[in-house]
Amino acid sequence: LTVTIQDVAKAAGVSVSTVSRVLNDKADVAPDTYRKVQGVINQLSYSSSLAAKSMRSRRTNVIGLVTNNVKEPFNIEIIRGANRAIDQYGYDLIVYTGQHKVGKEREAWELRQIARLNGSLTDGIIMTAPLAKALPTTFPLVAIDSHLDGFDFPAVIATNHAGALQVMTYLIGLGHRHIAFISGHPYLQSSARRLEGYQEGLRRANIPIRPDLIETGDYSRPAGYHCTHRLLNRPSPPTAIFAANDAMAIGVLKAAQEMGIPIPDELSVVGFDNIPQAMNTDPPLTTVDQSIEEMGYIATKMLIQIVQGEPLEREIHKVQTQLIIRDSCRAI
Amino acid sequence: LTVTIQDVAKAAGVSVSTVSRVLNDKADVAPDTYRKVQGVINQLSYSSSLAAKSMRSRRTNVIGLVTNNVKEPFNIEIIRGANRAIDQYGYDLIVYTGQHKVGKEREAWELRQIARLNGSLTDGIIMTAPLAKALPTTFPLVAIDSHLDGFDFPAVIATNHAGALQVMTYLIGLGHRHIAFISGHPYLQSSARRLEGYQEGLRRANIPIRPDLIETGDYSRPAGYHCTHRLLNRPSPPTAIFAANDAMAIGVLKAAQEMGIPIPDELSVVGFDNIPQAMNTDPPLTTVDQSIEEMGYIATKMLIQIVQGEPLEREIHKVQTQLIIRDSCRAI
DNA sequence: CTGTTAGCGCCTTCAC
DNA sequence: GTGAAGGCGCTAACAG
């Protein structure tokens, strides 16, 4: 069924170790032997089993990307960026994803995947938005975004605070004073920093922070949808909603539409991330760009550096954010 | 460094085989032992190495998706669909991708990846747009699109001929008679059938087929770009270009723009696939929808059926196509 | 230069 | 109900 190194050895009339040597381009193989074995390999279109190989040798030349949910456009962009990097450095990429999970279950899942891939298939792992508090640091691992408590390993993070502040300056400049905020997973750096930026913006403008205008979401579209319903049913509803990411902002748009609230006329909406879809919403979404693809690229590059034993310039790589003004906001 | 089954066994004061039993939910484990071992497993957050596990046992519960190039939006959509299916059926998904390759090199790459994953990590493999002539059929494999010669294994394919015919009917109805066609990889079903649809459309309208208006591309944006340059420099250039996929159609748009040819005023353009980007081109692209996500979903579902030993309703699953008229075409 | 030996971490008989 | 032994496909010493 499957052709193994043994089959090759037998067919070539050499020992398995010799085949292994030509497989791994070791020196000390007679040119004739090399050619002969190579011939058999091609003929049988043999390829060493990733599983077996990675169990013996530390290097597999594949980078793992563990992501809870490929459905999210954010993660798709990360994959794109990772792909660009592995393309450039000659690695292979394994994207590992499973059933969509939330909360504790997701944390456990993350840890399990790392344990599963580590030391076996993968030279190192990139993890998107890790919810697990303590990620292992004994082997190459780079996070994109990161847990609030997890500062002991390399990560790529956007300038979330500054980005959120820009949003608030913009919104307040438009005359808004009742601005709601829908957070992401509360334990992620990204969400916490965006919330801080939101609060700071209010503070700078001497606008009191209204706890009833702050909702805790989870970066998912339904969360944006449900939080909006709650927000707009408050006694004193907001005139603007700042969602901590675009997915939730799209949920906001949907909820507002269902409630018959025209945007931006009666409600201004801002997102964060600038996912590709953000330009196609109705109306096109004002958001904060953080070039997600670039984050994936940089994270992968960092990981490859670590794998190859090169020193990192910095443990935490910050990527710039930029306010993208489209049509979902309006002066009051 | 890595925690193995041995560590668990030692910590729990049992043998490895016992740990293995609780790991795989075998019967014949004393409840007390089970609980104790389970406790240690959680405490050490142990997870069996995918590599080691898959070397011994045939089932890994992971589906492999081998795709040459995650950069292509087409493949991204496929991943989305695959993800939906594994989510539903409780499998994990590994997307395997490497450096971008073309031609013979890519064929070899495909075969190698299959050999690598087969029997090791993966219970079955989904392969997008396989260029390799002969794919192994000795284990679960489903193709999306397929090689012209490869009809001996399950595949998901769009009604390419019908879709292309619709395009031609539309274009000819608009008054076009000099319609160029840019093909994809010539050996893929999709490309060949679309070309046939193109020719059939011409034939039905009694328009002679002009070989100088048929270019061979490869489904990549640059191919669309370069073919367009050649096409528009012909002595008698076409008034419409039908590209065999959207990526190439976007290349057409770019070339035309650079050459100062307004679209659709002086040139009509049609693509195929209806990738998400197609609605954001300038002008929005008329194309053929084939719900790529659905193809990924169905292929994965078929694969899981095979893996689980259930019979397939049909080897080749056809998905419907539908003409999507946007603004890139104009009556002559 | 090449073959032999010893495991990598795990699952599977086969004893007890 | 549990442990010991053997081997999956491969690589890494160690001999020769």
Side-chain angles (χ1 to χ4, degrees):
Chain A
L1 193 61
T2 308
V3 32
T4 76
I5 198 174
Q6 320 246 20
D7 304 325
V8 178
K10 204 169 299 170
V14 296
S15 72
V16 276
S17 17
T18 301
V19 179
S20 174
R21 279 195 263 275
V22 343
L23 243 33
N24 298 289
D25 277 317
K26 301 282 183 192
D28 287 2
V29 179
D32 270 1
T33 316
Y34 188 91
R35 261 192 303 278
K36 188 173 54 181
V37 173
Q38 215 30 290
V40 175
I41 288 177
N42 289 334
Q43 193 183 326
L44 271 53
S45 75
Y46 161 80
S47 177
S48 62
S49 143
L50 222 200
K53 173 174 185 133
S54 59
M55 216 161 66
R56 280 312 280 150
S57 64
R58 189 85 191 107
R59 290 294 302 277
T60 57
N61 228 44
V62 357
I63 295 297
L65 172 51
V66 176
T67 183
N68 179 256
N69 187 358
V70 245
K71 265 177 295 194
E72 287 181 26
F74 182 92
N75 291 326
I76 295 281
E77 291 301 304
I78 296 292
I79 294 176
R80 279 216 168 83
N83 191 69
R84 182 155 61 93
I86 60 127
D87 210 4
Q88 180 176 332
Y89 288 95
Y91 279 72
D92 280 348
L93 178 69
I94 271 188
V95 180
Y96 202 98
T97 186
Q99 302 174 70
H100 183 65
K101 306 221 170 27
V102 290
K104 281 288 166 207
E105 216 190 338
R106 170 157 159 198
E107 294 181 34
W109 183 85
E110 292 173 355
L111 260 16
R112 235 179 324 122
Q113 297 325 314
I114 292 177
R116 279 185 92 171
L117 298 185
N118 168 38
S120 41
L121 309 181
T122 256
D123 289 346
I125 291 179
I126 297 166
M127 182 125 229
T128 66
L131 252 40
K133 252 182 288 295
L135 259 30
T137 58
T138 48
F139 65 91
L141 173 64
V142 174
I144 292 177
D145 198 351
S146 81
H147 193 280
L148 261 187
D149 300 331
F151 251 133
D152 40 354
F153 54 85
V156 176
I157 304 185
T159 55
N160 291 301
H161 185 98
L165 198 52
Q166 277 182 71
V167 169
M168 294 307 286
T169 308
Y170 170 66
L171 245 23
I172 292 169
L174 249 31
H176 292 278
R177 291 185 60 83
H178 300 284
I179 304 169
F181 182 79
I182 304 176
S183 81
H185 294 286
Y187 295 120
L188 285 179
Q189 291 279 345
S190 56
S191 178
R193 300 278 169 263
R194 289 170 199 178
L195 174 57
E196 287 173 14
Y198 162 80
Q199 293 169 324
E200 166 106 17
L202 254 21
R203 214 174 297 120
R204 286 195 187 178
N206 284 319
I207 300 174
I209 292 174
R210 283 177 51 190
D212 64 316
L213 289 190
I214 299 179
E215 285 280 341
T216 301
D218 65 359
Y219 280 152
S220 75
R221 188 184 299 206
Y225 177 84
H226 291 117
C227 291
T228 301
H229 270 281
R230 281 197 290 275
L231 250 13
L232 295 183
N233 284 326
R234 292 275 142 77
S236 160
T239 62
I241 296 182
F242 175 16
N245 75 344
D246 288 348
M248 292 195 299
I250 290 172
V252 174
L253 259 27
K254 184 171 173 224
Q257 189 196 351
E258 282 184 16
M259 297 171 81
I261 297 175
I263 290 176
D265 297 331
E266 290 187 21
L267 181 71
S268 291
V269 178
V270 183
F272 208 112
D273 281 357
N274 195 23
I275 59 177
Q277 288 81 336
M279 61 171 67
N280 305 321
T281 54
D282 178 26
L285 188 65
T286 291
T287 186
V288 178
D289 182 82
Q290 57 173 335
S291 71
I292 312 171
E293 197 267 358
E294 184 77 8
M295 293 174 77
Y297 176 75
I298 290 173
T300 309
K301 236 171 106 169
M302 286 170 71
L303 183 61
I304 290 174
Q305 270 188 286
I306 298 173
V307 167
Q308 296 181 340
E310 298 162 20
L312 242 41
E313 299 88 63
R314 32 187 163 3
E315 284 274 292
I316 308 286
H317 187 104
K318 299 247 180 194
V319 318
Q320 285 304 310
T321 50
Q322 185 193 353
L323 182 65
I324 306 286
I325 297 179
R326 288 198 269 253
D327 309 327
S328 61
C329 296
R330 194 181 142 170
I332 218 161
Chain B
L1 194 62
T2 308
V3 32
T4 76
I5 198 174
Q6 320 247 19
D7 303 325
V8 177
K10 204 170 298 171
V14 297
S15 72
V16 277
S17 10
T18 301
V19 179
S20 173
R21 282 192 191 93
V22 344
L23 244 32
N24 298 289
D25 277 318
K26 301 284 183 192
D28 286 4
V29 178
D32 271 0
T33 316
Y34 188 91
R35 261 193 303 279
K36 187 172 56 179
V37 173
Q38 214 33 287
V40 175
I41 288 177
N42 289 332
Q43 192 181 328
L44 272 51
S45 75
Y46 162 80
S47 176
S48 63
S49 145
L50 223 200
K53 176 182 182 119
S54 57
M55 217 161 68
R56 285 304 285 146
S57 62
R58 189 83 191 111
R59 290 293 303 277
T60 58
N61 227 45
V62 353
I63 295 296
L65 171 52
V66 176
T67 181
N68 179 257
N69 187 359
V70 244
K71 266 178 295 194
E72 286 181 26
F74 182 92
N75 290 326
I76 294 283
E77 291 301 304
I78 296 292
I79 294 175
R80 277 214 169 83
N83 190 69
R84 182 155 62 92
I86 61 125
D87 209 4
Q88 180 177 331
Y89 289 94
Y91 279 72
D92 280 348
L93 177 69
I94 273 190
V95 180
Y96 202 99
T97 184
Q99 303 173 68
H100 183 64
K101 304 221 171 27
V102 290
K104 281 287 165 207
E105 217 189 339
R106 170 158 160 199
E107 294 181 33
W109 183 85
E110 292 173 355
L111 259 15
R112 234 180 325 124
Q113 298 323 315
I114 292 178
R116 278 184 91 170
L117 298 185
N118 167 38
S120 39
L121 309 181
T122 256
D123 288 347
I125 292 180
I126 297 165
M127 181 124 230
T128 66
L131 254 38
K133 252 181 289 293
L135 259 32
T137 58
T138 49
F139 64 93
L141 172 64
V142 174
I144 292 177
D145 197 352
S146 81
H147 193 281
L148 261 187
D149 300 332
F151 251 133
D152 39 355
F153 55 86
V156 176
I157 304 184
T159 54
N160 292 300
H161 185 97
L165 198 52
Q166 276 182 73
V167 169
M168 294 307 286
T169 307
Y170 171 66
L171 245 23
I172 292 169
L174 250 30
H176 292 277
R177 292 186 59 84
H178 300 284
I179 304 169
F181 182 79
I182 304 177
S183 82
H185 294 286
Y187 295 120
L188 286 179
Q189 292 279 346
S190 57
S191 178
R193 299 280 169 263
R194 290 170 198 178
L195 175 57
E196 287 173 14
Y198 162 81
Q199 293 168 326
E200 166 105 17
L202 255 21
R203 215 174 296 121
R204 288 195 187 179
N206 284 320
I207 300 175
I209 293 173
R210 282 177 51 189
D212 64 316
L213 289 189
I214 299 178
E215 285 279 341
T216 300
D218 64 0
Y219 280 152
S220 76
R221 188 184 299 208
Y225 178 85
H226 291 117
C227 290
T228 301
H229 270 283
R230 280 197 291 277
L231 249 14
L232 296 184
N233 284 326
R234 292 271 143 77
S236 159
T239 62
I241 296 181
F242 175 17
N245 76 343
D246 288 348
M248 293 196 298
I250 290 172
V252 173
L253 259 27
K254 185 172 173 222
Q257 189 195 352
E258 282 184 15
M259 296 172 83
I261 297 176
I263 290 175
D265 297 332
E266 290 189 20
L267 182 70
S268 291
V269 179
V270 182
F272 208 113
D273 281 357
N274 195 24
I275 59 177
Q277 288 80 339
M279 62 170 68
N280 305 321
T281 54
D282 179 24
L285 188 65
T286 290
T287 185
V288 178
D289 183 81
Q290 56 172 336
S291 73
I292 312 172
E293 197 266 359
E294 184 75 8
M295 293 174 76
Y297 175 76
I298 290 172
T300 308
K301 236 172 106 171
M302 286 169 70
L303 184 60
I304 290 174
Q305 270 188 284
I306 299 174
V307 166
Q308 297 182 340
E310 298 161 19
L312 242 42
E313 298 87 65
R314 34 185 163 0
E315 285 274 292
I316 308 287
H317 188 104
K318 299 247 180 194
V319 317
Q320 284 305 312
T321 51
Q322 184 192 354
L323 182 65
I324 306 286
I325 296 178
R326 289 198 268 253
D327 309 327
S328 60
C329 297
R330 191 179 146 174
I332 217 162

